[in-house]
Amino acid sequence: GTGKTTVARILTETLYRQKLLTSNRFVETSGQGLTAEYVGHTKAKVQEQLKKAAGGVLFIDEAYDLGKSTYGEEAVSTLVA
């Protein structure tokens, strides 16, 4: 890899120390990890990950996978809502 995850972890800790984040929580998932197999289930998966990362950082590795899946648009809509 190119070190994206490592840099994101360091940045999370830095932002937490500067009190720009309320938690140093770092939740890692993937584009595929945010999508489900059935209509309506993707939103719940995304919300679950957002809840886990609350106050910290949700790192979506290989986020480009969201554009490849059937329910990727639903995941992106939930993330930006």
Side-chain angles (χ1 to χ4, degrees):
T2 59
K4 294 182 299 285
T5 305
T6 301
V7 170
R9 287 181 189 279
I10 292 167
L11 184 58
T12 299
E13 190 61 37
T14 301
L15 293 172
Y16 174 70
R17 286 184 189 156
Q18 293 179 357
K19 301 191 185 307
L20 295 171
L21 295 175
T22 58
S23 168
N24 64 350
R25 190 174 302 118
F26 182 87
V27 177
E28 183 179 356
T29 189
S30 66
Q32 278 189 320
L34 290 177
T35 56
E37 297 178 26
Y38 305 104
V39 174
H41 292 186
T42 293
K43 184 176 182 177
K45 284 184 84 170
V46 172
Q47 289 174 331
E48 177 183 333
Q49 293 300 310
L50 288 170
K51 187 175 180 179
K52 284 182 190 177
V57 170
L58 176 62
F59 181 78
I60 306 169
D61 197 18
E62 300 177 1
Y64 56 82
D65 279 344
L66 289 171
K68 296 178 182 177
S69 70
T70 305
Y71 303 112
E73 188 175 321
E74 181 182 1
V76 172
S77 294
T78 303
L79 285 167
V80 298

Coordinates of all heavy atoms in Angstrom, one line a residue:
G1 N 0.8 -1.2 0.0 CA 0.0 0.0 0.0 C 0.8 1.3 0.0 O 2.1 1.2 0.1
T2 N 0.2 2.3 -0.1 CA 0.8 3.6 -0.1 C 0.8 4.3 1.3 O 1.3 5.4 1.4 CB 0.1 4.6 -1.1 OG1 -1.2 4.7 -0.7 CG2 0.2 4.0 -2.5
G3 N 0.3 3.7 2.3 CA 0.3 4.3 3.6 C -0.9 5.2 3.9 O -0.9 6.0 4.9
K4 N -2.0 5.1 3.1 CA -3.1 6.0 3.4 C -3.7 5.7 4.7 O -4.1 6.7 5.4 CB -4.2 5.7 2.3 CG -3.8 6.1 0.9 CD -5.0 5.9 -0.1 CE -5.4 4.4 -0.2 NZ -4.6 3.5 -0.9
T5 N -3.9 4.5 5.1 CA -4.5 4.2 6.4 C -3.6 4.7 7.6 O -4.1 5.3 8.5 CB -4.7 2.7 6.5 OG1 -5.5 2.3 5.4 CG2 -5.5 2.3 7.8
T6 N -2.3 4.5 7.4 CA -1.4 4.9 8.5 C -1.4 6.4 8.6 O -1.5 7.0 9.7 CB 0.1 4.5 8.1 OG1 0.1 3.1 8.0 CG2 1.1 5.0 9.1
V7 N -1.4 7.2 7.5 CA -1.5 8.6 7.6 C -2.8 9.1 8.2 O -2.9 10.0 9.0 CB -1.3 9.2 6.1 CG1 -1.7 10.7 6.1 CG2 0.1 9.0 5.6
A8 N -3.9 8.4 7.8 CA -5.2 8.7 8.4 C -5.3 8.5 9.9 O -5.8 9.3 10.6 CB -6.3 7.9 7.7
R9 N -4.6 7.4 10.4 CA -4.6 7.2 11.8 C -3.8 8.3 12.5 O -4.2 8.8 13.6 CB -4.0 5.8 12.1 CG -4.8 4.6 11.8 CD -4.2 3.3 12.1 NE -4.9 2.2 11.6 CZ -5.9 1.7 12.2 NH1 -6.4 2.2 13.3 NH2 -6.6 0.6 11.7
I10 N -2.7 8.7 11.9 CA -1.8 9.7 12.5 C -2.6 11.0 12.5 O -2.6 11.8 13.5 CB -0.5 9.9 11.8 CG1 0.3 8.6 12.0 CG2 0.2 11.1 12.2 CD1 1.6 8.5 11.1
L11 N -3.3 11.3 11.4 CA -4.1 12.6 11.3 C -5.2 12.6 12.4 O -5.5 13.6 13.0 CB -4.6 12.7 9.9 CG -5.4 14.0 9.7 CD1 -4.5 15.3 9.9 CD2 -5.9 14.1 8.2
T12 N -5.8 11.4 12.6 CA -6.9 11.3 13.6 C -6.4 11.7 14.9 O -7.0 12.5 15.7 CB -7.5 9.9 13.6 OG1 -8.1 9.6 12.3 CG2 -8.5 9.7 14.6
E13 N -5.2 11.1 15.3 CA -4.6 11.4 16.6 C -4.2 12.8 16.7 O -4.5 13.5 17.8 CB -3.4 10.5 16.8 CG -2.9 10.5 18.2 CD -3.9 10.0 19.3 OE1 -4.6 9.1 19.0 OE2 -3.9 10.6 20.4
T14 N -3.7 13.4 15.7 CA -3.3 14.8 15.7 C -4.5 15.7 15.9 O -4.5 16.6 16.7 CB -2.6 15.2 14.4 OG1 -1.4 14.4 14.3 CG2 -2.2 16.6 14.4
L15 N -5.6 15.5 15.2 CA -6.8 16.3 15.3 C -7.4 16.1 16.7 O -7.9 17.1 17.2 CB -7.8 15.9 14.2 CG -7.4 16.2 12.8 CD1 -8.4 15.6 11.8 CD2 -7.3 17.7 12.6
Y16 N -7.3 14.9 17.2 CA -7.9 14.7 18.6 C -7.0 15.5 19.6 O -7.6 16.2 20.5 CB -7.8 13.2 18.9 CG -8.2 12.9 20.3 CD1 -9.5 13.1 20.8 CD2 -7.3 12.5 21.2 CE1 -9.9 12.8 22.1 CE2 -7.6 12.2 22.6 CZ -8.9 12.4 23.0 OH -9.3 12.1 24.3
R17 N -5.7 15.5 19.5 CA -4.9 16.2 20.4 C -5.1 17.7 20.3 O -4.9 18.4 21.3 CB -3.4 15.9 20.2 CG -3.0 14.5 20.6 CD -1.5 14.3 20.4 NE -1.2 12.9 20.7 CZ -0.1 12.3 20.2 NH1 0.7 13.0 19.4 NH2 0.1 11.1 20.5
Q18 N -5.4 18.2 19.2 CA -5.7 19.6 19.0 C -7.2 19.9 19.3 O -7.6 21.1 19.1 CB -5.4 20.0 17.5 CG -4.0 19.9 17.2 CD -3.7 20.3 15.7 OE1 -4.6 20.6 15.0 NE2 -2.5 20.4 15.4
K19 N -7.9 19.0 19.9 CA -9.3 19.1 20.3 C -10.2 19.5 19.2 O -11.3 20.1 19.4 CB -9.4 20.1 21.5 CG -8.5 19.7 22.7 CD -8.9 20.5 23.9 CE -8.0 20.2 25.0 NZ -7.8 18.8 25.4
L20 N -9.9 19.0 17.9 CA -10.7 19.2 16.8 C -11.7 18.1 16.6 O -12.6 18.1 15.9 CB -9.9 19.5 15.5 CG -9.1 20.8 15.6 CD1 -8.1 20.8 14.4 CD2 -10.0 22.0 15.6
L21 N -11.3 17.0 17.3 CA -12.2 15.8 17.3 C -12.5 15.5 18.8 O -11.6 15.7 19.7 CB -11.5 14.5 16.7 CG -11.2 14.6 15.2 CD1 -10.5 13.3 14.8 CD2 -12.5 14.6 14.4
T22 N -13.7 15.0 19.1 CA -14.0 14.7 20.5 C -13.5 13.3 20.9 O -13.5 13.0 22.1 CB -15.5 14.8 20.8 OG1 -16.2 13.9 19.9 CG2 -16.0 16.3 20.5
S23 N -13.1 12.5 20.0 CA -12.6 11.2 20.2 C -11.5 10.8 19.3 O -11.4 11.4 18.2 CB -13.7 10.2 20.0 OG -13.3 8.9 20.0
N24 N -10.6 10.0 19.7 CA -9.5 9.5 18.8 C -9.9 8.2 18.1 O -9.1 7.5 17.6 CB -8.2 9.4 19.5 CG -8.1 8.4 20.6 OD1 -9.2 7.8 21.0 ND2 -7.0 8.1 21.1
R25 N -11.2 7.9 18.1 CA -11.7 6.7 17.5 C -11.5 6.7 16.0 O -11.7 7.7 15.3 CB -13.2 6.7 17.8 CG -13.9 5.4 17.5 CD -15.3 5.3 17.9 NE -15.5 5.5 19.3 CZ -16.1 6.6 19.9 NH1 -16.7 7.5 19.1 NH2 -16.2 6.7 21.2
F26 N -11.0 5.6 15.5 CA -10.7 5.5 14.1 C -11.4 4.2 13.6 O -11.0 3.1 14.0 CB -9.2 5.4 13.9 CG -8.8 5.3 12.4 CD1 -8.6 6.4 11.7 CD2 -8.5 4.0 11.9 CE1 -8.2 6.3 10.3 CE2 -8.2 3.9 10.5 CZ -8.0 5.1 9.8
V27 N -12.4 4.3 12.8 CA -13.2 3.2 12.3 C -12.8 3.0 10.9 O -13.0 3.9 10.1 CB -14.7 3.3 12.6 CG1 -15.4 2.2 12.0 CG2 -15.0 3.5 14.0
E28 N -12.3 1.8 10.5 CA -11.9 1.5 9.2 C -12.9 0.6 8.5 O -13.3 -0.4 9.1 CB -10.5 0.9 9.1 CG -10.1 0.7 7.7 CD -8.7 0.0 7.7 OE1 -8.0 -0.1 8.8 OE2 -8.2 -0.3 6.6
T29 N -13.4 0.9 7.3 CA -14.3 0.1 6.6 C -13.9 0.2 5.1 O -12.9 0.8 4.8 CB -15.8 0.4 6.8 OG1 -16.6 -0.6 6.2 CG2 -16.1 1.8 6.3
S30 N -14.6 -0.5 4.3 CA -14.4 -0.4 2.8 C -15.6 0.0 2.1 O -16.7 0.0 2.7 CB -13.9 -1.7 2.3 OG -14.9 -2.7 2.4
G31 N -15.5 0.4 0.8 CA -16.7 0.7 0.0 C -17.6 -0.5 0.0 O -18.8 -0.3 0.2
Q32 N -17.1 -1.6 -0.1 CA -18.0 -2.8 -0.1 C -18.6 -3.1 1.2 O -19.7 -3.5 1.4 CB -17.2 -4.1 -0.5 CG -17.0 -4.2 -2.0 CD -16.4 -5.6 -2.4 OE1 -15.5 -6.1 -1.7 NE2 -17.0 -6.2 -3.4
G33 N -17.8 -2.7 2.3 CA -18.3 -2.9 3.7 C -19.5 -2.0 4.0 O -20.2 -2.3 5.0
L34 N -19.7 -1.0 3.2 CA -20.8 -0.1 3.5 C -22.1 -0.4 2.7 O -23.1 0.2 2.9 CB -20.4 1.4 3.1 CG -19.4 2.0 4.1 CD1 -19.0 3.4 3.6 CD2 -19.9 2.1 5.5
T35 N -22.0 -1.4 1.8 CA -23.2 -1.7 1.0 C -23.7 -3.1 1.4 O -23.0 -4.0 1.8 CB -22.9 -1.7 -0.5 OG1 -21.8 -2.6 -0.8 CG2 -22.5 -0.3 -1.0
A36 N -25.0 -3.2 1.2 CA -25.7 -4.5 1.6 C -26.2 -5.2 0.3 O -26.0 -4.7 -0.8 CB -26.9 -4.2 2.5
E37 N -26.8 -6.3 0.5 CA -27.2 -7.1 -0.6 C -28.7 -6.9 -1.0 O -29.1 -7.3 -2.1 CB -27.1 -8.6 -0.3 CG -25.6 -9.0 -0.1 CD -25.5 -10.5 0.2 OE1 -26.4 -11.3 -0.1 OE2 -24.5 -10.8 0.9
Y38 N -29.4 -6.2 -0.1 CA -30.8 -6.0 -0.3 C -31.2 -4.5 -0.2 O -30.6 -3.8 0.5 CB -31.7 -6.8 0.7 CG -31.3 -8.3 0.6 CD1 -30.5 -8.8 1.6 CD2 -31.7 -9.1 -0.4 CE1 -30.1 -10.2 1.6 CE2 -31.3 -10.4 -0.4 CZ -30.6 -11.0 0.6 OH -30.2 -12.3 0.5
V39 N -32.3 -4.1 -0.9 CA -32.8 -2.8 -0.9 C -33.1 -2.4 0.6 O -33.7 -3.1 1.3 CB -34.1 -2.6 -1.7 CG1 -34.7 -1.3 -1.6 CG2 -33.8 -2.9 -3.2
G40 N -32.6 -1.2 1.0 CA -32.9 -0.7 2.3 C -31.9 -1.1 3.4 O -31.9 -0.4 4.4
H41 N -31.1 -2.1 3.1 CA -30.2 -2.5 4.1 C -28.9 -1.7 4.1 O -28.2 -1.6 5.1 CB -29.8 -4.0 3.9 CG -31.0 -4.9 4.2 ND1 -30.9 -6.3 4.2 CD2 -32.3 -4.6 4.5 CE1 -32.0 -6.8 4.5 NE2 -32.9 -5.8 4.7
T42 N -28.6 -1.1 3.0 CA -27.3 -0.3 2.9 C -27.4 0.9 3.8 O -26.4 1.2 4.6 CB -27.1 0.2 1.4 OG1 -26.8 -1.0 0.6 CG2 -25.9 1.1 1.3
K43 N -28.5 1.6 3.9 CA -28.6 2.8 4.8 C -28.3 2.4 6.2 O -27.6 3.1 6.9 CB -30.0 3.4 4.6 CG -30.1 4.7 5.4 CD -31.5 5.3 5.2 CE -31.6 6.6 6.0 NZ -32.9 7.3 5.7
A44 N -28.8 1.3 6.7 CA -28.6 0.8 8.0 C -27.1 0.5 8.3 O -26.6 0.8 9.3 CB -29.5 -0.4 8.3
K45 N -26.4 -0.1 7.3 CA -25.0 -0.4 7.4 C -24.2 0.8 7.6 O -23.3 0.9 8.4 CB -24.5 -1.3 6.3 CG -24.9 -2.7 6.3 CD -24.3 -3.5 5.2 CE -22.9 -4.0 5.6 NZ -22.4 -5.0 4.6
V46 N -24.5 1.8 6.7 CA -23.8 3.1 6.8 C -24.0 3.8 8.1 O -23.0 4.2 8.7 CB -24.2 4.0 5.6 CG1 -23.6 5.4 5.7 CG2 -23.8 3.4 4.3
Q47 N -25.2 3.8 8.5 CA -25.6 4.5 9.8 C -24.9 3.8 11.0 O -24.4 4.5 11.9 CB -27.1 4.5 10.0 CG -27.7 5.5 9.1 CD -29.3 5.5 9.1 OE1 -29.9 4.4 9.5 NE2 -29.9 6.6 8.8
E48 N -24.8 2.5 10.9 CA -24.1 1.8 12.0 C -22.6 2.2 12.0 O -22.0 2.4 13.1 CB -24.2 0.3 11.7 CG -23.5 -0.6 12.7 CD -23.5 -2.1 12.4 OE1 -24.5 -2.5 11.7 OE2 -22.6 -2.8 12.7
Q49 N -21.9 2.3 10.9 CA -20.5 2.6 10.9 C -20.3 4.1 11.3 O -19.4 4.4 12.0 CB -19.9 2.4 9.4 CG -19.8 1.0 9.0 CD -19.0 0.2 9.9 OE1 -17.8 0.6 10.2 NE2 -19.4 -0.9 10.4
L50 N -21.2 5.0 10.9 CA -21.2 6.4 11.3 C -21.3 6.5 12.9 O -20.6 7.3 13.5 CB -22.3 7.2 10.6 CG -22.0 7.5 9.2 CD1 -23.3 8.1 8.5 CD2 -20.8 8.4 9.0
K51 N -22.2 5.7 13.4 CA -22.4 5.7 14.9 C -21.1 5.2 15.6 O -20.7 5.8 16.6 CB -23.6 4.8 15.2 CG -24.0 4.8 16.7 CD -25.3 4.0 16.9 CE -25.7 4.1 18.4 NZ -26.9 3.4 18.7
K52 N -20.5 4.1 15.0 CA -19.3 3.6 15.6 C -18.2 4.7 15.6 O -17.4 4.8 16.6 CB -18.7 2.4 14.9 CG -19.5 1.1 15.1 CD -18.8 0.0 14.3 CE -19.6 -1.2 14.3 NZ -18.9 -2.3 13.5
A53 N -18.1 5.5 14.6 CA -17.1 6.5 14.4 C -17.4 7.9 15.0 O -16.6 8.8 15.0 CB -16.8 6.7 13.0
A54 N -18.6 8.0 15.6 CA -19.0 9.3 16.1 C -18.0 10.0 16.9 O -17.4 9.4 17.9 CB -20.3 9.1 16.9
G55 N -17.7 11.2 16.6 CA -16.7 12.0 17.3 C -15.3 11.8 16.8 O -14.4 12.6 17.1
G56 N -15.1 10.8 16.0 CA -13.8 10.4 15.5 C -13.8 10.4 13.9 O -14.4 11.3 13.3
V57 N -13.1 9.4 13.4 CA -13.0 9.4 11.9 C -13.5 8.0 11.4 O -13.2 7.0 11.9 CB -11.5 9.5 11.5 CG1 -11.2 9.2 10.1 CG2 -11.0 10.9 11.9
L58 N -14.3 8.1 10.3 CA -14.7 6.9 9.6 C -13.8 6.9 8.3 O -14.0 7.8 7.5 CB -16.2 7.0 9.2 CG -16.7 5.8 8.3 CD1 -16.5 4.5 9.0 CD2 -18.1 6.1 7.9
F59 N -12.9 6.0 8.2 CA -12.0 5.9 7.1 C -12.6 4.8 6.1 O -12.7 3.6 6.5 CB -10.6 5.5 7.6 CG -9.6 5.3 6.5 CD1 -9.0 6.5 5.9 CD2 -9.2 4.1 6.0 CE1 -8.1 6.3 4.9 CE2 -8.3 4.0 5.0 CZ -7.7 5.1 4.4
I60 N -12.9 5.2 4.9 CA -13.4 4.3 3.9 C -12.3 4.0 2.9 O -12.1 4.7 2.0 CB -14.7 4.9 3.2 CG1 -15.7 5.4 4.2 CG2 -15.3 3.9 2.2 CD1 -16.8 6.2 3.7
D61 N -11.7 2.8 3.1 CA -10.7 2.4 2.2 C -11.3 1.9 0.9 O -12.4 1.3 1.0 CB -9.9 1.2 2.9 CG -8.5 1.0 2.2 OD1 -8.1 1.9 1.5 OD2 -8.0 -0.1 2.4
E62 N -10.7 2.1 -0.2 CA -11.2 1.7 -1.5 C -12.7 2.2 -1.7 O -13.6 1.5 -2.1 CB -11.2 0.2 -1.6 CG -9.7 -0.3 -1.5 CD -9.6 -1.8 -1.6 OE1 -10.6 -2.5 -1.8 OE2 -8.4 -2.3 -1.5
A63 N -12.9 3.5 -1.3 CA -14.2 4.1 -1.5 C -14.7 4.1 -2.9 O -15.9 4.1 -3.1 CB -14.2 5.6 -0.9
Y64 N -13.8 4.0 -3.9 CA -14.3 3.9 -5.2 C -15.2 2.7 -5.5 O -15.9 2.7 -6.5 CB -13.1 3.9 -6.2 CG -12.1 2.8 -5.9 CD1 -12.3 1.5 -6.4 CD2 -10.9 3.1 -5.2 CE1 -11.4 0.5 -6.1 CE2 -10.0 2.1 -4.9 CZ -10.2 0.8 -5.4 OH -9.3 -0.2 -5.1
D65 N -15.1 1.7 -4.6 CA -16.0 0.5 -4.8 C -17.4 0.9 -4.6 O -18.3 0.1 -5.1 CB -15.6 -0.6 -3.8 CG -14.4 -1.4 -4.2 OD1 -14.1 -1.4 -5.4 OD2 -13.9 -2.1 -3.3
L66 N -17.7 2.0 -4.0 CA -19.1 2.4 -3.9 C -19.8 2.7 -5.2 O -20.9 2.5 -5.4 CB -19.2 3.7 -3.0 CG -18.9 3.5 -1.5 CD1 -18.9 4.9 -0.9 CD2 -20.0 2.7 -0.9
G67 N -19.0 3.1 -6.2 CA -19.5 3.4 -7.5 C -19.7 2.1 -8.3 O -20.4 2.1 -9.4
K68 N -19.2 1.0 -7.9 CA -19.3 -0.3 -8.6 C -20.4 -1.1 -8.2 O -20.8 -2.1 -8.9 CB -18.0 -1.1 -8.4 CG -16.8 -0.4 -9.0 CD -15.5 -1.2 -8.7 CE -14.3 -0.6 -9.3 NZ -13.1 -1.3 -9.0
S69 N -21.0 -0.9 -7.0 CA -22.0 -1.8 -6.5 C -23.4 -1.2 -6.8 O -23.6 0.0 -7.0 CB -21.9 -1.9 -5.0 OG -22.2 -0.8 -4.3
T70 N -24.4 -2.1 -6.7 CA -25.8 -1.7 -7.0 C -26.3 -0.7 -6.0 O -27.0 0.2 -6.4 CB -26.6 -3.0 -6.9 OG1 -26.1 -4.0 -7.8 CG2 -28.1 -2.7 -7.3
Y71 N -25.9 -0.8 -4.8 CA -26.4 0.1 -3.8 C -25.4 1.1 -3.3 O -25.6 1.8 -2.3 CB -26.9 -0.7 -2.6 CG -28.0 -1.8 -3.0 CD1 -27.7 -3.1 -2.9 CD2 -29.2 -1.3 -3.5 CE1 -28.6 -4.0 -3.3 CE2 -30.1 -2.3 -3.9 CZ -29.9 -3.6 -3.8 OH -30.8 -4.5 -4.2
G72 N -24.4 1.4 -4.1 CA -23.4 2.3 -3.8 C -23.9 3.8 -3.7 O -23.6 4.5 -2.8
E73 N -24.9 4.1 -4.6 CA -25.5 5.4 -4.6 C -26.2 5.7 -3.3 O -26.2 6.7 -2.7 CB -26.4 5.6 -5.8 CG -26.9 7.0 -5.9 CD -27.7 7.2 -7.2 OE1 -27.3 6.6 -8.2 OE2 -28.7 7.9 -7.1
E74 N -26.9 4.6 -2.8 CA -27.6 4.7 -1.5 C -26.6 5.0 -0.4 O -26.9 5.8 0.5 CB -28.4 3.5 -1.2 CG -29.2 3.5 0.0 CD -30.0 2.2 0.3 OE1 -29.9 1.2 -0.5 OE2 -30.7 2.2 1.3
A75 N -25.5 4.3 -0.4 CA -24.5 4.5 0.6 C -23.9 5.9 0.6 O -23.8 6.6 1.7 CB -23.3 3.5 0.5
V76 N -23.6 6.4 -0.6 CA -23.1 7.8 -0.7 C -24.2 8.8 -0.2 O -23.8 9.8 0.5 CB -22.7 8.1 -2.1 CG1 -22.3 9.6 -2.3 CG2 -21.5 7.2 -2.5
S77 N -25.4 8.6 -0.6 CA -26.5 9.5 -0.2 C -26.6 9.6 1.3 O -26.8 10.6 1.9 CB -27.8 9.1 -0.8 OG -27.8 9.3 -2.2
T78 N -26.5 8.4 2.0 CA -26.6 8.4 3.4 C -25.4 9.1 4.1 O -25.5 9.8 5.1 CB -26.6 6.9 3.9 OG1 -27.7 6.2 3.2 CG2 -26.8 6.8 5.4
L79 N -24.2 8.9 3.5 CA -23.0 9.5 4.1 C -23.1 11.1 4.0 O -22.7 11.7 4.9 CB -21.8 9.1 3.3 CG -21.2 7.7 3.6 CD1 -20.2 7.3 2.5 CD2 -20.7 7.6 5.0
V80 N -23.6 11.6 2.9 CA -23.6 13.1 2.8 C -24.9 13.7 3.3 O -25.0 14.9 3.4 CB -23.4 13.5 1.3 CG1 -22.1 13.1 0.8 CG2 -24.5 13.0 0.4
A81 N -25.9 12.9 3.7 CA -27.1 13.5 4.3 C -27.0 14.1 5.6 O -26.1 13.8 6.4 CB -28.2 12.3 4.4

